[in-house]
Amino acid sequence: MPGTRVLFWTVGECPYCGARHYHPAGTERDDPGERLGEVQAGCGGGPYILALAPRPLRKKGRKARRRDGWDDHDE
């Protein structure tokens, strides 16, 4: 629809056919996280689960690294 902004979740590689599929995630005003979950594959191969990738662990700062070293020496 002209003048609207629709968001999509992209599946880079379908587990059934290997192609790229797009799933609607709502508009700018909607929360795209509400559209995560089980969806049908665009190729008709079956359902799969849309989920966010896990966030990487944060690196420890200099003070935390020093504290870890102190804890090792106390034992």
Side-chain angles (χ1 to χ4, degrees), residues 7 9 25-28 30-36:
L7 304 173
W9 287 111
T27 63
E28 293 177 328
D30 298 331
D31 179 17
E34 293 177 0
R35 300 286 181 112
L36 294 174

Side-chain angles (χ1 to χ4, degrees), residues 4-6 15-16 18 22 32-33 42 50 52 63 65 67 75:
T4 62
R5 293 185 184 202
V6 179
Y16 300 108
Y22 299 96
L50 287 180
L52 295 176
K63 284 185 179 181
R65 284 194 301 263
R67 254 185 244 126
E75 295 176 1

Side-chain angles (χ1 to χ4, degrees), residues 7-27:
L7 304 173
F8 290 94
W9 287 111
T10 304
V11 176
E13 188 174 327
C14 173
Y16 300 108
C17 69
R20 181 177 290 178
H21 296 301
Y22 299 96
H23 300 278
T27 63

Side-chain angles (χ1 to χ4, degrees), residues 37-57:
E38 189 172 308
V39 296
Q40 288 294 322
C43 61
Y48 53 78
I49 296 177
L50 287 180
L52 295 176
R55 287 184 160 177
L57 297 175

